[in-house]
Amino acid sequence: MKFLAITLIVHRPDPVTGVLVPTHERFREVLDNAVLAEELGFDGFGVGERHERPFLSSAPTVVLSHVAALTRRIRLFTAVTTLSLLDPVRAYEDYATLDHLSEGRLDLIIGKGNGTAQRELFHVTPEDQWDRNAESYEVFRRLWRQDRVTADTRFRPPLKDAEAWPRPYQRPVRVWHGSATSEESVDLAARYGDPLFSANVTHPVEPYAELVRHYRERWEHYGHDPAAIAVGAGSAGLCVARTSQEALAAYRPVFESNLAFQRSAGLPVVFETLEDFVARSSALIGSPEQVIDKVHRYHERLGHTVLHVTADAGGLPAARHRASLELFQSAVAPTLRREIPDPPFAWAPVLPAGAAQTPAA
């Protein structure tokens, strides 16, 4: 199993202390967390893309380029690239550049994105967002593979024998499809034989497991080898401590503050108590043994071989969050690496057949 640390670069007051750090300090936290993730042995670091309050993740290529300069081994993920909002030619240029700067350490997770404000900002409607996502991905995919592209597009000016530069480092970049609530992204991933990344953070496992089941069905429908399937999954929170009591005590102020925020903002509340949150969500809160057991239970439902945890403290004291990440890597990850297989591809730059591969970390 492989492990990612991800951030959406949420910028709102600390849910426990109420302190809002300056924007530049929040970005510095992201960079420090990326360096820490590499030092601790995580396999990937991901940055989301959102174009609305309270997120600072509107330019993931810029942030990941800085992360690439500060790190040497860890793979860089987007979580997710919102292709429904982007011009696929411009997106290709940005990501092909990042791919070179990182020497082929880039993986993309794509999706239509969420949020009314960012749809309105880019003049995208609920009715056309899935069509935009599919069209943008088709163009993006072809640009990465073909030197010249002709495409009769609906949502951007048509392309005729078009070139995009630079030509890519990876041939091609690996693209995962983010899956949260709809079969459209699942079907798009299966159609192209691409890996799937289940959000797996807001609800109990059942709706996510149903989408993964559908993905596997559609994968075989399109004639792909079932052995080549790769699924990733998120987690709703992280606090690993020596005992379950210690973990619950540390995380309770975070949960209660987040619950109060959800209610004040009129957001739906799925888990009313911390105990219910720990029992029925994908949150990894407890002793190392409890966290290992929960990941195994989710693996039975999802079959995932990549897991992401939050890179951010999210209300935990910084020292507590670091200790949690350290304990995860020392007492949880080694067992899961032994007991759950890796994805069915090398964790290394995707290079043309016959080209020298960088050894997988």
Side-chain angles (χ1 to χ4, degrees):
M1 182 169 245
K2 299 294 188 183
F3 301 99
L4 316 180
I6 75 159
T7 178
L8 300 181
I9 320 185
V10 176
H11 190 228
R12 66 181 181 91
D14 184 286
V16 177
T17 67
V19 173
L20 179 67
V21 302
T23 296
H24 73 276
E25 185 176 331
R26 184 68 184 95
F27 280 121
R28 173 49 57 187
E29 290 175 351
V30 171
L31 300 177
D32 290 345
N33 287 340
V35 171
L36 176 63
E38 179 166 270
E39 290 175 352
L40 293 180
F42 280 89
D43 303 291
F45 185 83
V47 174
E49 180 181 342
R50 297 292 290 266
H51 299 269
E52 59 187 339
R53 191 189 298 263
F55 303 95
L56 301 179
S57 49
S58 58
T61 50
V62 177
V63 178
L64 286 171
S65 291
H66 199 147
V67 171
L70 296 174
T71 58
R72 291 293 177 267
R73 175 195 59 80
I74 200 165
R75 290 195 68 78
L76 311 176
F77 280 73
T78 63
V80 301
T81 296
T82 52
L83 279 182
S84 65
L85 309 180
L86 305 178
D87 183 314
V89 177
R90 191 71 183 99
Y92 165 82
E93 292 172 337
D94 285 346
Y95 282 108
T97 300
L98 171 56
D99 198 35
H100 278 279
L101 294 175
S102 67
E103 296 186 324
R105 287 189 282 142
L106 175 66
D107 275 50
L108 276 81
I109 307 175
I110 68 162
K112 70 168 181 59
N114 296 305
T116 301
Q118 64 180 10
R119 279 202 310 267
E120 292 176 349
L121 184 65
F122 288 89
H123 297 279
V124 173
T125 70
E127 292 74 27
D128 69 18
Q129 60 186 350
W130 286 111
D131 290 340
R132 287 177 178 271
N133 184 63
E135 177 183 286
S136 290
Y137 179 53
E138 167 65 22
V139 173
F140 183 93
R141 178 184 175 87
R142 290 179 60 193
L143 287 168
W144 210 284
R145 288 164 171 79
Q146 302 171 18
D147 291 338
R148 295 177 180 271
V149 171
T150 296
D152 187 16
T153 49
R154 290 174 54 200
F155 299 108
R156 60 144 289 131
L159 301 173
K160 184 174 176 57
D161 205 24
E163 295 179 291
W165 296 92
R167 298 313 301 149
Y169 185 94
Q170 295 188 91
R171 301 294 182 97
V173 69
R174 182 176 298 112
V175 177
W176 304 67
H177 294 248
S179 167
T181 60
S182 175
E183 293 183 352
E184 280 88 344
S185 56
V186 167
D187 190 80
L188 189 65
R191 185 191 320 165
Y192 285 108
D194 293 331
L196 187 75
F197 216 106
S198 174
N200 191 42
V201 295
T202 306
H203 300 283
V205 69
E206 287 77 15
Y208 305 113
E210 177 58 26
L211 285 171
V212 171
R213 184 198 62 76
H214 183 69
Y215 168 67
R216 295 179 185 277
E217 287 184 354
R218 298 304 292 170
W219 180 278
E220 294 195 39
H221 168 80
Y222 288 115
H224 304 304
D225 180 1
I229 283 177
V231 175
S235 58
L238 179 72
C239 186
V240 189
R242 291 296 174 185
T243 67
S244 60
Q245 294 84 356
E246 184 182 348
L248 287 169
Y251 202 82
R252 191 174 298 279
V254 177
F255 175 83
E256 291 178 350
S257 296
N258 286 334
L259 181 64
F261 173 78
Q262 290 171 343
R263 287 175 171 157
S264 66
L267 299 173
V269 174
V270 179
F271 307 103
E272 295 279 355
T273 67
L274 174 60
E275 287 71 20
D276 187 39
F277 181 63
V278 172
R280 294 195 305 120
S281 84
S282 61
L284 303 177
I285 299 169
S287 68
E289 295 78 11
Q290 289 172 314
V291 170
I292 290 168
D293 178 68
K294 174 173 267 191
V295 174
H296 271 293
R297 286 188 279 115
Y298 268 74
H299 177 70
E300 290 174 2
R301 301 295 303 275
L302 303 175
H304 59 308
T305 54
V306 179
L307 172 70
H308 85 51
V309 301
T310 178
D312 300 318
L316 287 173
R320 166 66 71 176
H321 180 59
R322 179 177 182 128
S324 176
L325 291 173
E326 290 174 343
L327 190 57
F328 180 89
Q329 279 295 344
S330 65
V332 175
T335 298
L336 294 175
R337 290 186 194 278
R338 289 194 306 268
E339 297 177 349
I340 296 177
D342 283 345
F345 42 72
W347 203 257
V350 182
L351 302 178
Q357 284 279 355
T358 300

